[in-house]
Amino acid sequence: MQAGVIVFPGSNCDRDVAVALAQSTGRPAAMIWHGESALPPLDLIVIPGGFSYGDYLRSGAIAAHSPIMREVVARARAGTAVLAICNGFQIAQEAGLLPGALLRNASQRFVCRDVHLLVERSAPPFTSRYNAGTVVRIPVAHHDGNFYADDETLARLEGEGQVVFRYVTAEGARAPDANPNGSLADIAGICDPGGRILGMMPHPERLADAALGGTDGRAMFDAALEHLS
Amino acid sequence: MSGAAGEVTPEVVAEHGLTPAEYDRVLEIMGRAPNLLELGIFSVMWSEHCSYKSSKRWLKELPTEAPWVIHGPGENAGVIDIGDGLAAIFKMESHNHPSFIEPYQGAATGVGGILRDVFTMGARPVANLNALRFGSPDHPRTRHLLRGVVAGIGGYGNCVGVPTVGGEVNFHDSYNGNILVNAMTVGIAPVDRIFTARASGIGNAVVYVGSKTGRDGIHGESMASAEFSEDAEEKRPTVQVGDPFTEKLLIEACLELMATDAIVAIQDMGAAGLTSSSFEMASSGGVGIQLDLDQVPCREDAMTPYEMMLSESQERMLLILAPGRQEKAEAIFRKWELDFAVIGHLTDTGRMVLRFGGETVGDLPIDPLAKASPEYDRPWVATPPPASVSLGEPGVPLETALLRLLACPDLASRRWIWEQYDHTVMGDTVQRPGGDAAVVRIHGSNRGLAIATDCTPRYCRAHPETGGAQAVAEAWRNLNAVGALPRAVTDNMNFGNPERPEVMGQFVGCIQGMKAACLALDFPVVSGNVSLYNETDGRAILPTPAIGAVGVIEDLSRSATVALKRDGDALLLLGEARGHLGQSLYLREILGREAGPPPPVDLQAERRNGDFARRLIAEQGVDTCHDLSDGGLLVALAEMAMAGRRGATVTLPAGPGADALQLAAASFGEDQARYLLAMPAALADRALQDAAAAGVPLQRIGIVGGGKLTVTDAFTISVDALATAHEEWLPGYMAL
Amino acid sequence: MKARVHVTLKPGVLDPQGRAVNHALHSLGFDRVGDVRQGKFFDIELGYDDREAAEAAVKEMCDRLLANPVVESYAIEIQA
Amino acid sequence: MKARVHVTLKPGVLDPQGRAVNHALHSLGFDRVGDVRQGKFFDIELGYDDREAAEAAVKEMCDRLLANPVVESYAIEIQA
Ligand SMILES: Nc1ncnc2c1ncn2[C@@H]1O[C@H](COP(=O)(O)OP(=O)(O)O)[C@@H](O)[C@H]1O
Ligand SMILES: [Mg+2]
């Protein structure tokens, strides 16, 4: 599987996700500068976390207009899998790849901590290695992760099984304390109707190595390798 | 000479903070009266901040050498060899006053500044820490300052993508009018690609990169009124706004250029911006420099040479490029959407010549100005030794005391703070905040750096020499406690007005103590920073020599954390229990007194016990360790229990028939050179034997297990109840 | 020519910043404060002579960049 | 009664957001865009009948909370 990681000015999880991808796929990801106007052949496009353009204006808004994003959108529409993490999720929404918006955290504060996620959808290419209903532990680190969608969109996401992850307690219960940012319906990650574009606020690449205290995130990269090769 | 209007009168000289004697020296060096621009340059170069004129004489006493030290003080940051062809580059710096005025931006730009000191030497920053001191929690400004400082540190560090992995926070009313914000950055570079400010190569281009120059930080007081119009106040923001996004681009662009052979020398523009950076580069390289100020990228219209030379705008660097490398360098900075301008060249005149609008507007000799800055041997008086303290009755049961200590402002959990810092970005944070030292993996290896900051200001006030030694010793201990070999320190000396002999005496005492500890522990000082005049209405802060320490872990699978891990592990106390309560938190929080001498620091015992603890971890596989500091034995044990969500049963190391006060002293005494370790019984037996053979005080005091903490013959309390007390205070305080 | 553009969250979208400001004002004792909404605005200098052309350009800027149509609405004022 | 409060960075203070917006607009082809400054505004509902009392209260809110006097300035409009 060949993965590509898009690098924007201000991305800062590009290297982290490349390390996790290389660990699972055994080969280096292509690092693609935002100013490029063409993409090499890729099986997976990752839009990484960070602070593209400093999060100025709105998180993800300026990066969504980068030249490369036109190509990313075209590839995604043509079926290439896209994993959009944290700032990548914000960019994907601004670029119209995923619905909803990510507002300022309800606490108004940046939040960096491990959260527990209920896997709502176990499916290729990203979450097939989790059983639906299991709880995984993955870190978040963001200021704007408060998921919002209007009622109609929310109903569609729920109805079509597009909610992939929800914030829960370690025991799997929905609870205000388990939701780090005020997201509607405790939503932590969603996908497009086809399931090949996944956006999530938590960072699976940050717990994909036992030396860092956990490997729950690794299963997503392993699954991608299995399904996208 | 024109272009720098305004007359240099005695008032103007005074407004620039130069004494009459210093001004005489200026006249001597110049051989004529300086114009306003030149005077401004002298004033910033000879400011306390840039010249260290009050502290230099004493800083020289600190040990700075060891075989593993590559660059000690004098460079932008200290550099040590950490093996495998790599160097760790680190420094700590204060942004106290700006953070008091505007906590968010003050703290944010403090982080930005220290990051630049580190990557300017070729390192990729890998960790940030922060040592913070606030006023009393009851003071009306404390909440606002704490909220703003933490948000600012996070706002900057999170955006640049460097994990903020540790630090320390104290509250004390002596900081009500002078908070301390000390930021530390650690970076890693290949040993053969370390960059310095040493300019060389006559004719080489002087290049300005980064953000544009605005009228930031040109302070009202040090400014000649003659030169400015009515709306001077409006035009001249004294608070600088940080732009972490530009900093991130600057890091990437500089590191990309550093991988080529284009850079001869590089220097960040810190305090006193273009002035100090250009002087430092020319002076350390023994060359002259000519700057064409028309080429300086400006953010605003009609900026004067005075403003350009004195601006403290952030996110700017100065480079000397090798011949023929300009195009390559420019392409890199353009790619990262940063300004790039050739603003001058090196000369062989030994002078700094400033050109603007076709005229020479300033002409100063470099060496006399940079090297002959004033140096004062300020009068000082030693702090009188503290009276011993006689303690009455303990007053409250041990259990109540423990709960109160765990929830007191100086010991309560800092989770509310570090959760606002991205501490896991870069994918190498092995030990997150909350332990003794943060541990960051050296990327792509199984080795790590351990990093901690420490200082106990109340000890420093009671007895500066002991306090200075204790700060170094505690930092050293925190590194040992995770299994790291401590290597070197950086310091941030925060004191009051050095013109007062008592304050100067505190400074001298702390330095003496630090010196003794650094020597005894093979722990040289490789960089540092001094912040003086931290006082309001004649009342100084507690003397606060903050220590930032770095150590190396050779094998991350052989390191320790504070969390209790297995039921049945033996609990071993390493070091002697004397029950010293003078200056302890128990005395302050429970008995309501800040009194007595601080715990004595026995450097031989520190060394022996620390080496023993480290070997248990690195050689015998012990994986659970915590050093004892504020709050003593029971606080440390409670912290281990909370971290591991696991209980223990212990017997206090007090003799039989101990009275209530002796039990409190055994529980909460702050004797130094101590560690609490947990390990399986077989390892414990062996450790006890080895210790006995080596004459190291080590005793078994209990066993791990269950969900409760039991102190034999005293009390039992659930770990959850401890955790609730410990976790609730700060969020509760900040919610108000 | 100059434009001032106000961008606000649409009615119905919870405004956590506005809510936090409301709370903070109440805890400072401003108890006659009702609903608070926070928004942002942009002052944009424009090299147009024609007011309508300017307005059309700014509208396009809003649609493409300055506002997120999913959650925000905007209002444009052109100043001579 | 309602108040609208505009808070802006003082002139001369670096406005990284405004700069970023300016760049982004240029790269979208809006090349007649000059300087851009970004600010924030608050719409505050007020339980006052008296305009002057309302204005005084809002001024106090600005001084104490809404604006940071070190780097920001503010302007108040009271709407009936
Ligand atoms: N300002 C801060 N930022 C991040 N972490 C902090 C801060 N202050 C304290 N911590 C973390 O909280 C823990 C406890 O701090 P402290 O009590 O000072 O430790 P110690 O007693 O071991 O020196 C440490 O892991 C420290 O790194
Ligand atoms: Mg410790």
Side-chain angles (χ1 to χ4, degrees), chain B residues 401-408 411-413 635 638-639 642 722 725-726:
Chain B
L402 176 60
L403 282 168
R404 270 169 53 185
L405 282 170
L406 288 175
C408 81
L411 282 177
S413 168
V635 166
E639 287 171 346
M642 292 183 290
L722 296 173
H726 187 56

Side-chain angles (χ1 to χ4, degrees), chain B residues 150-454:
Chain B
V150 169
I153 290 170
Y156 207 99
N158 300 347
C159 182
V160 296
V162 175
T164 302
V165 294
E168 57 181 333
V169 188
N170 288 145
F171 297 87
H172 190 275
D173 59 13
S174 77
Y175 304 109
N176 282 352
N178 296 84
I179 62 170
L180 303 183
V181 175
N182 298 170
M184 174 177 177
T185 294
V186 183
I188 295 179
V191 280
D192 56 358
R193 299 213 61 78
I194 289 164
F195 293 80
T196 68
R198 223 156 290 134
S200 69
I202 306 306
N204 277 348
V206 177
V207 175
Y208 169 124
V209 297
S211 291
K212 293 189 198 317
T213 297
R215 294 187 171 95
D216 304 278
I218 304 169
H219 294 286
E221 331 86 69
S222 71
M223 209 161 70
S225 42
E227 205 193 350
F228 305 113
S229 53
E230 309 273 65
D231 56 350
E233 262 321 290
E234 277 290 279
K235 262 198 198 156
R236 218 155 274 109
T238 49
V239 170
Q240 307 137 46
V241 170
D243 180 2
F245 170 59
T246 295
E247 180 102 336
K248 167 70 175 165
L249 303 185
L250 203 50
I251 294 175
E252 299 304 331
C254 287
L255 291 176
E256 190 171 329
L257 185 62
M258 283 163 166
T260 73
D261 58 357
I263 298 178
V264 174
I266 175 165
Q267 167 76 29
D268 63 294
M269 295 192 219
L274 195 48
T275 293
S276 64
S277 55
S278 52
F279 264 97
E280 270 160 41
M281 293 185 91
S283 167
S284 61
V287 295
I289 195 166
Q290 176 164 331
L291 297 182
D292 179 2
L293 297 176
D294 295 295
Q295 304 306 318
V296 171
C298 286
R299 199 169 81 219
E300 288 175 72
D301 296 337
M303 287 191 58
T304 65
Y306 182 97
E307 291 170 327
M308 290 182 210
M309 290 304 290
L310 269 61
S311 163
E312 296 192 342
S313 293
Q314 303 288 300
E315 292 97 19
R316 304 178 299 160
M317 314 278 286
L318 205 57
L319 318 176
I320 309 296
L321 289 184
R325 296 295 185 277
Q326 203 168 303
E327 224 170 285
K328 179 166 28 175
E330 181 158 4
I332 290 174
F333 284 90
R334 294 277 174 243
K335 168 183 152 195
W336 289 100
E337 299 175 25
L338 294 164
D339 270 296
F340 176 101
V342 176
I343 62 164
H345 60 272
L346 300 182
T347 67
D348 60 2
T349 60
R351 299 184 72 83
M352 164 168 288
V353 175
L354 303 172
R355 305 270 307 163
F356 185 67
E359 291 178 58
T360 296
V361 293
D363 184 352
L364 312 100
I366 285 170
D367 266 1
L369 210 158
K371 297 202 173 132
S373 61
E375 176 175 334
Y376 297 124
D377 189 356
R378 299 213 184 263
W380 59 277
V381 294
T383 306
S388 67
V389 54
S390 65
L391 305 161
E393 285 297 304
V396 302
L398 290 183
E399 175 182 359
T400 312
L402 176 60
L403 282 168
R404 270 169 53 185
L405 282 170
L406 288 175
C408 81
D410 273 353
L411 282 177
S413 168
R414 272 62 176 124
R415 184 182 307 278
W416 186 90
I417 294 174
W418 76 62
E419 283 192 348
Q420 293 182 62
Y421 300 153
D422 189 338
H423 49 267
T424 49
V425 66
M426 290 186 91
D428 284 312
T429 305
V430 174
Q431 281 202 39
R432 302 180 185 186
D436 279 322
V439 177
V440 171
R441 180 168 59 185
I442 297 168
H443 194 65
S445 79
N446 188 35
R447 304 168 70 240
L449 291 181
I451 315 162
T453 74
D454 283 289

Side-chain angles (χ1 to χ4, degrees), chain A residues 22 24 48 55 90 177 216:
Chain A
S24 289
D55 274 0
Q90 296 156 344
D177 275 358
D216 284 358

